[in-house]
Amino acid sequence: MSKEVFLDLGRQPIANKFVSTEEDSNNEYFFDLQAQFDPETKLVSLANFVDPPKLFNEDYPYRAGASPATREHFKKAAQIVDSYLKQGTKVLEIGSNDGSFIGCFDSDIAVAVEPCGNFAKETRNNGYDTYDAFWDGDLAETILSNNGPQQVVYSANCMCHIPDIQGAFAAVEKVLDTDGVFVFEDPNALFMLLRNSYDQIYDEHAHIFSLIALEKLLANVDMHIVKVDVMENVHGGSCRVYAAKCGSSHWKPGSFNAPPLLEFEKQHGMNGIEPYIKFGDRVSHSKQLLRKTLSGFKEEGKKIVSAGATSKSTVVFNYCDIGPDLVEYITDTTPEKIGKLSPGKHIPICHEKEHLDDTVDVAFLGAWNFKDRIMDKHSDKDYLWVTHVPEVQVI
Ligand code: TMP
């Protein structure tokens, strides 16, 4: 059975590549962003992967530790992982970014893998054994021979970035100790369907995992899911999945209850393509409604801006054909983004503190995953807040 496209989000730029110069804007890379379903593995993936070095290189802009909430998240994750480490064992992180997670461990028990040169350098300078490379079977062999088997392999928002996901899981199986545990967290497809958050689909997210698909992919490398933490508010709805080798004497197959979310996914029909096709229909309705809502406000002479210059808002604005004629500017708190233009649509990015002010009438929640935090901060303003999640509405 062949893979079937269920959603076409049109021509899209690299979602997190904010444009700073005219040269940048003339040389922007665009690709066809489509999501497809694999009837064999049940996995949702992009129909056209963007070559990873185009995305993950020494200019990679996303710094996990820039957000206090994210730093706190990784501290908690490190405490969990620490409880699985025994005397003399090690933790390996795949996709260590700025070291927000691995930095919680002593450098003599931690190994980092990070293909983005800027961050790999930082982690290495902090004393961590760092491999500046993409995760695959060859790298797993190298680490196995240099560092030995790993008790815990941890990865956050990285596994879903890897086009050859089956190869990536096989490489984890190779490097993991027989009784070790693989802990990885990524956005989950059930949340995307329930929240109509089609903006989870962008260049970096080569796959949107369901537990149904993960069960199959892990079984293909003799591994199984032993536990799942559901994290509704992390990256728009994520799961932290714990997987072990089927041959482990510690983590015995059959001695764990199926995670409730797996049952929800099955009840939701995610073994088949139907819920994804219905999702595609809802997304195209969402596009019409968002354009109509914002155009209506514009015709009334209202000033519309967007809060949060996110990869997600890049997808929404390019898919819905929303440019500076409709959204005057986007506000953000990240110094690296301020003064640049949004990818594709070239909407100016301004500092939130100075520009989310009393001149604004309508604020679109580009960072809808931080809705409460952003709205609370500006509770003194009488904006009309607009979101498209879970449906287009004025709050
Ligand atoms: P993320 O969803 O990729 O983590 O990006 C969130 C973006 O939203 C990031 O660029 C910072 C921005 N942001 C604000 O501008 N104001 C805020 O209050 C918060 C919480 C985030």
Side-chain angles (χ1 to χ4, degrees):
M1 276 189 289
S2 57
K3 296 170 187 168
E4 200 177 320
V5 170
F6 61 84
L7 181 64
D8 187 345
L9 296 171
R11 298 286 288 169
Q12 292 272 352
I14 304 295
N16 206 17
K17 200 162 175 25
F18 291 83
V19 173
S20 49
T21 62
E22 203 171 310
E23 194 193 340
D24 274 0
S25 77
N26 292 335
N27 293 324
E28 257 186 308
Y29 174 83
F30 282 84
F31 70 106
D32 289 319
L33 182 60
Q34 296 171 330
Q36 65 185 14
F37 178 81
D38 182 343
E40 244 165 65
T41 60
K42 321 297 182 192
L43 180 64
V44 167
S45 307
L46 300 188
N48 310 293
F49 295 127
V50 177
D51 194 23
K54 254 196 167 53
L55 303 171
F56 308 109
N57 49 48
E58 62 287 346
D59 296 324
Y60 191 60
Y62 180 78
R63 175 179 286 278
S67 142
T70 308
R71 285 201 299 276
E72 197 49 38
H73 174 83
F74 283 122
K75 234 193 226 170
K76 282 195 189 132
Q79 281 163 5
I80 293 170
V81 163
D82 196 45
S83 70
Y84 291 111
L85 288 176
K86 294 177 258 166
Q87 187 74 28
T89 61
K90 281 192 169 186
V91 53
L92 164 71
E93 185 182 14
I94 304 171
S96 54
N97 193 266
D98 63 351
S100 290
F101 170 83
I102 208 80
C104 299
F105 295 88
D106 285 342
S107 56
D108 54 346
I109 62 155
V111 181
V113 170
E114 177 50 64
C116 301
N118 50 342
F119 290 124
K121 195 170 157 197
E122 215 173 294
T123 315
R124 192 174 296 120
N125 287 346
N126 286 336
Y128 290 85
D129 197 357
T130 305
Y131 292 83
D132 181 351
F134 286 98
W135 179 248
D136 63 11
D138 289 344
L139 183 58
E141 288 285 6
T142 306
I143 293 177
L144 198 56
S145 96
N146 292 349
N147 307 84
Q150 303 292 310
Q151 178 68 18
V152 182
V153 175
Y154 176 81
S155 186
N157 304 302
C158 176
M159 283 295 133
C160 71
H161 291 172
I162 304 178
D164 177 15
I165 187 62
Q166 194 66 81
F169 285 160
V172 170
E173 197 276 339
K174 202 178 274 186
V175 84
L176 192 67
D177 191 79
T178 314
D179 285 333
V181 62
F182 172 35
V183 183
F184 62 108
E185 41 187 87
D186 298 277
N188 178 274
L190 181 65
F191 287 109
M192 179 182 78
L193 295 186
L194 295 178
R195 293 175 175 169
N196 295 317
S197 47
Y198 60 88
D199 46 2
Q200 285 286 13
I201 297 168
Y202 60 89
D203 47 76
E204 288 189 12
H205 289 172
H207 318 281
I208 307 286
F209 295 141
S210 62
L211 295 181
I212 294 175
L214 287 176
E215 235 190 5
K216 288 185 189 301
L217 294 165
L218 289 164
N220 288 344
V221 297
D222 280 332
M223 292 183 73
H224 61 134
I225 297 174
V226 298
K227 189 181 165 197
V228 174
D229 295 334
V230 176
M231 305 183 292
E232 281 193 45
N233 295 317
V234 176
H235 288 294
S238 297
C239 282
R240 180 183 292 133
V241 176
Y242 302 67
K245 292 190 182 194
C246 295
S248 164
S249 54
H250 181 74
W251 306 94
K252 288 198 175 64
S255 58
F256 308 99
N257 293 329
L261 198 80
L262 182 63
E263 290 311 308
F264 285 140
E265 286 182 359
K266 287 179 182 164
Q267 283 164 18
H268 211 75
M270 289 164 66
N271 263 314
I273 196 171
E274 291 74 19
Y276 294 103
I277 289 177
K278 286 186 186 149
F279 165 72
D281 293 342
R282 293 196 301 276
V283 170
S284 87
H285 177 65
S286 173
K287 170 181 175 167
Q288 309 308 329
L289 204 53
L290 183 61
R291 276 203 59 82
K292 194 171 154 205
T293 304
L294 295 184
S295 305
F297 285 137
K298 188 77 189 173
E299 277 161 28
E300 290 168 16
K302 292 189 163 56
K303 174 173 170 176
I304 308 169
V305 305
S306 181
T310 58
S311 298
K312 296 181 182 69
S313 64
T314 298
V315 174
V316 172
F317 293 154
N318 282 279
Y319 173 57
C320 300
D321 192 17
I322 293 170
D325 51 326
L326 215 47
V327 169
E328 210 164 294
Y329 53 80
I330 302 173
T331 61
D332 204 278
T333 49
T334 317
E336 291 83 3
K337 293 182 187 175
I338 294 160
K340 294 189 176 170
L341 302 172
S342 74
K345 287 296 172 188
H346 299 174
I347 305 172
I349 319 290
C350 304
H351 201 298
E352 178 185 300
K353 236 186 195 150
E354 289 151 28
H355 291 88
L356 210 45
D357 59 13
D358 292 336
T359 65
V360 171
D361 300 306
V362 179
F364 175 71
L365 284 160
W368 57 265
N369 45 321
F370 291 114
K371 168 174 165 262
D372 292 343
R373 201 115 58 86
I374 294 175
M375 287 179 67
D376 284 352
K377 252 201 287 186
H378 300 279
S379 56
D380 56 324
K381 320 254 181 26
D382 53 358
Y383 299 157
L384 296 165
W385 293 96
V386 176
T387 185
H388 66 295
V389 173
E391 55 201 22
V392 176
Q393 57 187 300
V394 181
I395 304 169

